[in-house]
Amino acid sequence: TPFASVLLVSMICGGVVAQNSGLLLQSSSLLPRMVAAVLGLHCVGFLVGYTVPKLGMKFSETTSRTISIETGMQNSALAVVLARSIGAD
């Protein structure tokens, strides 16, 4: 179900943030930049995921919203993979 997917991805992302909380709290300049990057990635992903199907491909509202949500969810998974690979150093 969509709710279970959102819950699972949220738990995975939360786990990565919790594992790196010391690093985030250590550097006062890193946290605002990290929040801005995450919000920017998701906003652009959701916007492009909705706009391209709706305006460019003339899909229905429901289909455009579904693609937007799927794009946002994949961006979350990508962010987790990148965060774990960068934090591995």
Side-chain angles (χ1 to χ4, degrees):
T1 65
F3 177 74
S5 298
V6 170
L7 185 62
L8 184 60
V9 169
S10 297
M11 289 173 55
I12 292 169
C13 292
V16 171
V17 170
Q19 287 177 345
N20 296 303
S21 62
L23 177 64
L24 290 172
L25 296 175
Q26 223 172 22
S27 174
S28 61
S29 66
L30 182 62
L31 187 59
R33 291 183 2 210
M34 182 77 70
V35 169
V38 168
L39 288 176
L41 173 71
H42 282 84
C43 288
V44 169
F46 282 117
L47 182 66
V48 170
Y50 177 81
T51 304
V52 170
K54 181 70 174 169
L55 301 178
M57 300 177 168
K58 307 296 185 204
F59 284 145
S60 69
E61 181 76 19
T62 304
T63 302
S64 298
R65 286 184 184 183
T66 302
I67 293 171
S68 176
I69 292 168
E70 183 62 29
T71 303
M73 295 297 286
Q74 288 181 7
N75 280 344
S76 297
L78 175 62
V80 167
V81 169
L82 290 174
R84 290 193 62 89
S85 68
I86 291 170
D89 291 343

